[in-house]
Amino acid sequence: MRRFSWKRVLALVVAGAFPMVLGGGAPPGSAEGRTELIVNGGFDAGTSPWWWTSNVSAQVVDGRLCAEIPAGTTNSWDAIVGRSDITLRSGESYEFSFTASADQPVTIRANVQLADPPYTAEISQPVSLGGSQTYRYFFTSRADTQRASVQFQVGGSSVGWTFCVDDVSLKDGAEVPGYEPDTGPRVRVNQVGYLPDGPKRATLVTDAVRPLEWVLRDASGRAVADGRSTPRGVDEASGERVHTIDFSSVRRPGRGYTLTADGETSYPFAIASEVYESLRTDALQFFYIQRSGIPIDGALVGEEYARPAGHVGVPPNRGDIDVPCQEGVCDYRLDVRGGWYDAGDHGKYVVNGGIAAAQLLSTWERALHAGTGQTGPLDDGRLRVPERGNGVPDILDEARWEVEFLLRMQVPDGKPLAGMAHHKIHDREWTGMPMQPEDDPQPRELHPPSTAATLNLAAVAAQCARLFRPYDRAFAARCLAAAEKAWTAARADPDVYASETDSNGGGAYADTHLEDESYWAAAELYLTTGDPAYLDFLLTSPMHTADVFGPGGFSWQSVAALGRLDLATVPGRLPLAERRKARVSVVEAADRYLATQRSQAYGLPLPSNAEFYNWGSNSGILNNLVVIATAYDITGKQAYRDAVLEGIDYILGRNALNISYVTGYGTKSAQNQHSRIFAHQLDPSLPHPPKGSIAGGPNAGLQDPFAADLLQGCRPAFCYVDDIQSYSTNEVAINWNSALSWVASFLADQGRRH
């Protein structure tokens, strides 16, 4: 267990919801002299001053307020029981408690929030109701207001039900309990396993300053290896004093190995050549389940993930088949069906879809050109997609689902900015959680075109053209025509930017530095066509001589690396001297990442500074591994292969929190990523994210209220919580799973070498 705690805000539930249960005795801060802010919270004086929305009827029954909640509402806030005019003081800590029940299993939201716009919540807690139970939460207010409101948001059910509440209390002067994440045993390993011929290292958290004895045991408990740890001092990102344990000499395959040191025993793990085979296919399966506009077949991916097609215009859904623009943006409507839902919401974004589709295409292109002979696992009939058996590699079928959507986002001929791409399409307003795509009632809108989106379209469509040419020449030609049209449009209007404030109902995805997008698009167009005009652009681009591989990893906002990696590896077009330069830049970047990795006691190629533990930090790590793996493909040097194998250890459990960030992989893995679709934590009838879904990972920015309250003051490596409310640390996203898919495919290929 962690030996420290952070004490700003914590939500505690007597009923046992995350993160911990209050024990017996008086709760913290229960001393005399605290002020009760709720008048008539026990309803002994009737219902005043409580109120409820007009679609709710309520009365006092047996000393409780019981309300009849209507069927057919969509969002939690569509039906509310509450009271207002509560005073909160900034910096003051409060205890919020109540007893509640429902006559059928439902999930509501218990909020303390501003009563007036923008209705900012101080605490917004999902509560799963059934029989009568008492719930208790703690928070520290960020607002000074006399207009706070306690609200039980009880809408969103397809059937009517009865809500009863009693003993509602809000007291100041609370002593907030400390949050202490459960980090399990102090011996941290890759909880999935290690390749027999690869590096095998673990991290031991200990206050000892001298080397310690360790023992490796097989599943029967028999000792098979032993040695002494190497002290590493204090790991800056976590604040822990740690040692490294190296058992790379053990090569005997087996399952159920454990490592013991300093009186602690690790979670079990395997040593096996096939240890990453299922990760490749599961990480790719995520994309099919994220598809928009198609029924998800439970026979392919499990019945718990089966659902009707989303956003095809079947009520209450408005659909993506005939979508207007935001008011004042355009005078036409587009069919923009298909594609992947971007992340935890139902939005579809060209710039994030661009990098995700490119990485799936590149996973196939690497298999073609890296000399591994390992295209089979990605080929036709090998993945769980409905198009299997059509003569096209399954991974290309999956990528095509997104590419088709990207093509549909292009502005039609004869319209202003023709040939450019609309930046995004999503709901007019944010929807509540959970929300299945087929149930989404919000109108959908196209947002203005942007140069960034247009260049993404040009790059991905150009790559599509060369990879689909052997399988579907008509589609390849369509992709190339769209790519060239997009390139011409972007050159004509190079500074059409998405608005940073266009974030109602979906993310802004703003980007005003587009030299990298231009470089990427030109690289893909040149590699596909050989047109010297694109080469001329590349050679005069400021990106041509720039270091495009930053320490934090490339991302949707920094895509020049995608072009450089393809220039270094895709054969046949680039002049030999330029190809050599591209390859040297990849290898030099990989060497820098290896140096960083050697400096990190947890073996990850990411600096320990808080700035690099940002939104989607796990994808930054994975994309650095993509660069290192490409250096291995270029040079064949074992050090690069070993670095990728060690780097994945962090993702799969060898980290400060001792958690695998990939659902279903490892003894303790992320289960509650932020998603409207996979919202089991809020509604037990819904599934957890599918096996192979990766969480965003530690984020020192703490941009969501749940994480900001719970984790204030965290060391960077601890700025993560496996809770559906923490979208800034725990969301799913297509560009994070695309990075995982590329790396998992590389890793699986390494296991097949022997």
Side-chain angles (χ1 to χ4, degrees):
M1 294 287 289
R2 288 289 303 149
R3 295 183 178 178
F4 67 88
S5 60
W6 305 301
K7 293 189 175 181
R8 178 164 178 255
V9 179
L10 178 64
L12 297 170
V13 187
V14 172
F18 178 83
M20 61 178 70
V21 181
L22 284 178
S30 61
E32 294 295 327
R34 296 170 58 198
T35 304
E36 175 60 71
L37 305 178
I38 300 293
V39 176
N40 193 29
F43 306 102
D44 297 328
T47 61
S48 180
W50 291 85
W51 52 264
W52 42 89
T53 49
S54 60
N55 57 348
V56 172
S57 61
Q59 60 182 325
V60 177
V61 178
D62 296 330
R64 303 175 298 165
L65 179 70
C66 291
E68 298 303 318
I69 312 304
T73 57
T74 301
N75 302 297
S76 62
W77 56 84
D78 291 340
I80 302 173
V81 174
R83 61 142 303 159
S84 302
D85 299 325
I86 296 170
T87 298
L88 298 178
R89 299 189 303 276
S90 178
E92 180 65 74
S93 295
Y94 295 88
E95 176 188 346
F96 174 40
S97 63
F98 56 89
T99 300
S101 66
D103 65 348
Q104 59 181 298
V106 293
T107 298
I108 69 166
R109 300 199 72 83
N111 285 12
V112 180
Q113 64 176 72
L114 296 182
D116 305 308
Y119 306 111
T120 305
E122 295 300 312
I123 184 171
S124 181
Q125 186 69 26
V127 182
S128 297
L129 295 181
S132 180
Q133 296 182 80
T134 299
Y135 302 82
R136 183 172 289 119
Y137 306 93
F138 296 85
F139 68 96
T140 299
S141 178
R142 295 178 293 271
D144 273 310
T145 180
Q146 295 180 332
R147 288 281 296 157
S149 175
V150 167
Q151 295 186 10
F152 298 101
Q153 298 184 348
V154 290
S157 176
S158 61
V159 298
W161 61 284
T162 301
F163 167 66
C164 291
V165 65
D166 197 6
D167 299 326
V168 185
S169 173
L170 180 63
K171 293 181 179 180
D172 63 9
E175 180 183 342
V176 179
Y179 170 61
E180 188 169 326
D182 180 4
T183 56
R186 291 184 287 104
V187 183
R188 312 287 163 72
V189 298
N190 179 329
Q191 296 174 26
V192 176
Y194 304 84
L195 292 185
D197 65 339
K200 302 172 191 68
R201 297 187 180 96
T203 301
L204 169 66
V205 179
T206 178
D207 292 331
V209 296
R210 297 182 180 278
L212 296 172
E213 302 289 338
W214 58 263
V215 177
L216 179 70
R217 290 186 170 86
D218 62 19
S220 69
R222 183 175 65 89
V224 296
D226 57 53
R228 294 173 68 81
S229 64
T230 301
R232 298 292 298 270
V234 175
D235 173 59
E236 184 178 345
S238 65
E240 298 173 316
R241 185 176 295 278
V242 296
H243 292 201
T244 296
I245 295 172
D246 192 331
F247 55 105
S248 301
S249 61
V250 179
R251 303 169 71 94
R252 182 164 65 88
R255 307 234 168 222
Y257 281 104
T258 57
L259 190 63
T260 299
D262 200 24
E264 298 270 325
T265 299
S266 72
Y267 292 131
F269 56 89
I271 297 176
S273 59
E274 70 279 8
V275 74
Y276 296 116
E277 282 291 336
S278 65
L279 181 60
R280 170 172 22 208
T281 56
D282 286 340
L284 287 167
Q285 174 189 275
F286 173 84
F287 293 92
Y288 171 53
I289 303 177
Q290 284 284 113
R291 284 192 191 185
S292 174
I294 186 174
I296 304 305
D297 186 354
L300 287 174
V301 294
E303 289 302 325
E304 66 270 36
Y305 298 104
R307 56 177 169 80
H311 297 101
V312 292
V314 177
N317 192 264
R318 305 296 181 90
D320 288 351
I321 298 173
D322 185 31
V323 182
C325 286
Q326 284 180 307
E327 185 176 355
V329 170
C330 74
D331 62 356
Y332 52 85
R333 305 169 76 94
L334 291 182
D335 177 353
V336 290
R337 75 184 78 184
W340 302 313
Y341 296 119
D342 177 69
D345 62 323
H346 298 149
K348 298 186 295 188
Y349 309 85
V350 171
V351 295
N352 217 40
I355 186 174
Q359 287 197 295
L360 262 63
L361 293 170
S362 292
T363 300
W364 174 253
E365 197 155 27
R366 177 194 169 268
L368 288 175
H369 300 314
T372 63
Q374 298 294 341
T375 60
L378 305 171
D379 216 331
D380 190 28
R382 306 302 292 270
L383 301 179
R384 287 158 282 181
V385 296
E387 298 87 358
R388 61 207 324 258
N390 65 353
V392 178
D394 288 340
I395 192 169
L396 293 187
D397 283 323
E398 189 57 70
R400 181 172 180 162
W401 193 260
E402 179 69 11
V403 174
E404 293 265 20
F405 158 72
L406 298 177
L407 299 179
R408 294 185 180 111
M409 292 289 280
Q410 198 160 28
V411 177
D413 291 342
K415 299 297 182 180
L417 300 177
M420 296 195 78
H422 286 273
H423 197 71
K424 57 180 182 170
I425 176 233
H426 56 66
D427 293 336
R428 182 178 297 168
E429 304 286 345
W430 287 106
T431 59
M433 295 179 61
M435 176 66 68
Q436 296 304 296
E438 68 272 15
D439 297 329
D440 178 9
Q442 281 288 329
R444 307 276 276 178
E445 294 178 332
L446 288 163
H447 291 245
S450 73
T451 306
T454 304
L455 291 166
N456 267 260
L457 172 59
V460 174
Q463 189 178 15
C464 160
R466 68 174 179 266
L467 292 178
F468 272 90
R469 196 171 289 144
Y471 308 103
D472 188 334
R473 296 188 69 84
F475 181 59
R478 180 182 161 208
C479 284
L480 183 57
E484 293 180 324
K485 181 184 290 187
W487 174 261
T488 301
R491 299 293 293 151
D493 290 285
D495 54 1
V496 180
Y497 304 125
S499 170
E500 293 183 0
T501 60
D502 186 12
S503 57
N504 193 39
Y509 283 96
D511 186 1
T512 58
H513 302 286
L514 305 183
E515 293 91 350
D516 55 317
E517 280 86 359
S518 296
Y519 178 81
W520 176 33
E524 301 301 343
L525 280 160
Y526 178 70
L527 290 170
T528 297
T529 68
D531 187 331
Y534 298 122
L535 179 60
D536 290 344
F537 182 91
L538 286 172
L539 297 181
T540 58
S541 167
M543 295 287 101
H544 178 60
T545 56
D547 179 10
V548 300
F549 302 106
F554 59 88
S555 69
W556 66 268
Q557 270 187 313
S558 179
V559 293
L562 294 170
R564 185 70 58 80
L565 289 168
D566 282 355
L567 290 171
T569 56
V570 176
R573 297 286 189 186
L574 197 64
L576 184 60
E578 295 302 327
R579 180 176 170 88
R580 186 178 297 115
K581 290 178 185 177
R583 290 187 161 214
V584 167
S585 73
V586 172
V587 173
E588 288 178 344
D591 288 340
R592 293 195 300 272
Y593 295 146
L594 261 65
T596 297
Q597 184 179 54
R598 287 191 291 269
S599 73
Q600 300 299 310
Y602 279 107
L604 67 161
L606 190 77
S608 55
N609 314 51
E611 65 183 288
F612 299 114
Y613 284 83
N614 51 25
W615 202 314
S617 64
N618 281 342
S619 72
I621 293 166
L622 289 165
N623 284 329
N624 284 349
L625 295 181
V626 169
V627 177
I628 299 170
T630 304
Y632 172 71
D633 288 340
I634 291 171
T635 68
K637 291 184 178 179
Q638 189 78 12
Y640 299 125
R641 175 182 183 263
D642 287 352
V644 181
L645 290 169
E646 183 168 9
I648 200 66
D649 294 346
Y650 169 88
I651 298 294
L652 297 176
R654 186 188 167 197
N655 53 58
L657 285 163
N658 204 9
I659 186 173
S660 167
Y661 290 111
V662 181
T663 302
Y665 281 82
T667 300
K668 179 186 177 185
S669 67
Q671 298 288 321
N672 299 305
Q673 289 98 313
H674 179 84
S675 169
R676 283 161 175 75
I677 301 174
F678 315 123
H680 180 84
Q681 189 177 4
L682 300 180
D683 182 350
S685 69
L686 297 174
H688 289 290
K691 188 177 181 182
S693 305
I694 189 168
N699 176 9
L702 302 178
Q703 289 97 337
D704 67 84
F706 186 91
D709 288 347
L710 188 68
L711 303 178
Q712 185 70 28
C714 56
R715 299 288 297 208
F718 281 101
C719 294
Y720 169 84
V721 58
D722 183 24
D723 192 283
I724 197 169
Q725 301 302 327
S726 183
Y727 51 83
S728 71
T729 77
N730 199 38
E731 194 166 14
V732 292
I734 53 175
N735 60 313
W736 302 340
N737 251 78
S738 64
L740 176 64
S741 296
W742 196 105
V743 172
S745 187
F746 175 88
L747 293 168
D749 286 351
Q750 305 317 303
R752 286 170 168 249
R753 296 195 324 174
H754 300 286

